[in-house]
Amino acid sequence: QKEVEQDPGPLSVPEGAIVSLNCTYSNSAFQYFMWYRQYSRKGPELLMYTYSSGNKEDGRFTAQVDKSSKYISLFIRDSQPSDSATYLCAIMDNYGQNFVFGPGTRLSVLP
Amino acid sequence: SQTIHQWPATLVQPVGSPLSLECTVEGTSNPNLYWYRQAAGRGLQLLFYSVGIGQISSEVPQNLSASRPQDRQFILSSKKLLLSDSGFYLCAWSVQANTEAFFGQGTRLTVV
């Protein structure tokens, strides 16, 4: 089993839709959770960082973590064409040295 | 504020040639530094990470090597490139222990 699995996509939604992106992980030692956005041919850009179960909101983005189910989600409200990118979940172990990334979900928001 | 610089942005190299990719971080001290490779349509594969000068941990055995000659400088090298070394190489940094990572803009390497 892979350490981090992510909905493969690609995902196409109309502008204004609510988008849900999901990851599951296998190792309960993982304690820190991140979402990155990566535009084509660019480096990943940090969107959200959290270390606790529950929801964290930042503008149109909400990160949700359920440690009991080993499940993390990113919700995008009022999606925009500029949100079209690949979204990567990332998890850090409790030793604070190694990040494990999901394979990414490619999102297209159609105007 | 902290910034990370990675160069070159694009590189085309023949099989068997050497490689040197450089990454520098500004605005922070003693960062953790990372080299990742991203194949097309796939996730990020950790190649090397470093917690201090001269301290390199390798995650995947291969013909690549990394060095950290200065606190905020991280170099990825190869003596002889293989076709399979083609990919998108990303440098990243994080503050020591339990914080998020920040990425450079990447180097797209094509080995021909």
Side-chain angles (χ1 to χ4, degrees):
Chain A
Q1 182 184 10
K2 295 180 181 178
E3 288 192 289
V4 179
E5 302 204 47
Q6 188 170 356
D7 291 348
L11 186 62
S12 290
V13 301
E15 183 175 355
I18 296 174
V19 177
S20 172
L21 303 167
N22 306 294
C23 282
T24 57
Y25 61 96
S26 58
N27 191 340
S28 59
F30 291 143
Q31 295 291 327
Y32 302 88
F33 309 94
M34 290 142 280
W35 283 97
Y36 288 83
R37 176 176 62 197
Q38 186 177 23
Y39 293 114
S40 180
R41 298 180 174 268
K42 299 292 185 182
E45 169 193 12
L46 180 69
L47 282 177
M48 304 284 285
Y49 168 78
T50 184
Y51 54 87
S52 58
S53 283
N55 294 350
K56 181 177 181 179
E57 191 172 315
D58 184 0
R60 296 185 295 111
F61 300 91
T62 299
Q64 186 177 78
V65 175
D66 182 346
K67 289 187 179 180
S68 62
S69 301
K70 302 190 186 70
Y71 194 88
I72 63 173
S73 299
L74 178 71
F75 298 97
I76 307 174
R77 290 186 301 278
D78 187 24
S79 56
Q80 303 295 308
S82 58
D83 295 327
S84 298
T86 296
Y87 289 80
L88 302 162
C89 62
I91 298 171
M92 171 175 268
D93 64 27
N94 206 32
Y95 300 101
Q97 291 185 344
N98 192 11
F99 297 88
V100 180
F101 285 83
T105 300
R106 193 171 71 194
L107 171 67
S108 295
V109 181
L110 306 175
Chain B
S1 64
Q2 300 90 357
T3 56
I4 179 170
H5 302 280
Q6 187 181 344
W7 67 92
T10 306
L11 192 59
V12 180
Q13 292 283 100
V15 169
S17 64
L19 173 73
S20 181
L21 302 181
E22 189 163 343
C23 172
T24 59
V25 179
E26 296 177 357
T28 188
S29 296
N30 199 28
N32 284 351
L33 295 172
Y34 306 84
W35 279 110
Y36 287 89
R37 178 168 58 201
Q38 187 176 35
R42 301 179 66 178
L44 276 69
Q45 178 189 34
L46 179 64
L47 301 175
F48 301 95
Y49 71 92
S50 172
V51 299
I53 295 174
Q55 300 179 62
I56 309 294
S57 296
S58 174
E59 290 295 307
V60 182
Q62 58 213 321
N63 71 321
L64 299 172
S65 62
S67 61
R68 185 170 177 173
Q70 300 180 45
D71 180 43
R72 289 170 289 179
Q73 183 186 28
F74 205 23
I75 297 172
L76 182 69
S77 304
S78 174
K79 293 182 180 178
K80 288 186 178 182
L81 283 168
L82 306 173
L83 288 174
S84 57
D85 292 324
S86 294
F88 192 45
Y89 289 83
L90 289 156
C91 180
W93 72 274
S94 69
V95 175
Q96 296 285 349
N98 303 335
T99 63
E100 59 270 48
F102 298 94
F103 284 84
Q105 287 303 296
T107 296
R108 186 160 302 280
L109 172 66
T110 304
V111 182
V112 296

